[in-house]
Amino acid sequence: FEQLCINFVNEMLQEQFNESVFAAERRLFKAEGVEVEDGTLQSSAARLRLMTRILQGLDDQCRLGERGSDQEFLQEIGRQHAQRGICQTETLGKFSIFHYAGKVTYTVDGFVLKNSDSMHADLVALMERCEGLEPLLPMLAPTPRASAATGSTGSPSHR
């Protein structure tokens, strides 16, 4: 789970780096009249959309409470995303994503439980008093699994 979150951020950083450095440099060279080949940069946009949908599916499993499971999460990945060419389900509770840097295989054991970590009640209360955070407040509703396991309120920790 943690590696999936890290790789999600890495994909975002790679996309930002490509745009900020390579694309900006290409525009600068062209503006200065320097001939530049129009090589294509590998975009992370499709992987970012996929990973966002995978994390949303994980949130959905957490919202199911005790009915949510790692195996159902994996089956949903297979049903929804395996045909896209950058994701495939494996045997024995695993799925793979073809990241910018290469293929990474994830084992789903514990994903739902780890994603059910909740925010401390004092942090939620502080955020409720902060101006401009109103759009985020619906995401702070406790998940049934997190509330039962910890007795606290909050939302999945990757937010």
Side-chain angles (χ1 to χ4, degrees):
F1 173 76
E2 292 85 356
Q3 191 63 53
L4 178 66
C5 294
I6 290 167
N7 289 344
F8 180 61
V9 172
N10 285 343
E11 291 286 352
M12 287 193 294
L13 290 171
Q14 185 65 52
E15 186 74 3
Q16 179 66 34
F17 180 81
N18 285 351
E19 179 57 33
S20 296
V21 176
F22 296 123
E25 285 295 311
R26 186 179 297 143
R27 287 190 299 271
L28 177 64
F29 288 157
K30 286 184 178 184
E32 293 177 354
V34 176
E35 291 286 324
V36 178
E37 280 189 39
D38 281 338
T40 58
L41 296 173
Q42 184 181 4
S43 174
S44 294
R47 280 183 296 278
L48 288 170
R49 283 190 304 275
L50 168 73
M51 293 179 80
T52 298
R53 286 192 293 266
I54 286 173
L55 289 171
Q56 288 169 341
L58 184 56
D59 285 348
D60 292 344
Q61 285 299 309
C62 291
R63 283 187 204 94
L64 292 173
E66 294 302 317
R67 293 179 297 140
S69 72
D70 295 328
Q71 287 308 309
E72 182 58 35
F73 168 62
L74 180 64
Q75 290 172 5
E76 190 65 25
I77 290 172
R79 284 190 296 269
Q80 298 291 324
H81 309 297
Q83 301 85 359
R84 299 185 190 276
I86 54 176
C87 178
Q88 65 187 44
T89 54
E90 310 279 339
T91 58
L92 303 173
K94 298 179 182 182
F95 70 98
S96 296
I97 296 176
F98 294 89
H99 291 281
Y100 187 87
K103 179 182 176 182
V104 177
T105 300
Y106 303 94
T107 303
V108 298
D109 292 338
F111 268 46
V112 171
L113 181 62
K114 289 178 182 181
N115 193 58
S116 295
D117 287 349
S118 58
M119 295 174 63
H120 292 278
D122 56 345
L123 180 57
V124 173
L126 176 65
M127 291 178 73
E128 287 172 342
R129 292 192 308 264
C130 291
E131 190 173 317
L133 296 180
E134 292 83 9
L136 300 176
L137 295 179
M139 292 187 286
L140 301 178
T143 60
R145 183 185 306 266
S147 296
T150 64
S152 62
T153 62
S155 65
S157 62
H158 76 267
R159 295 196 176 132

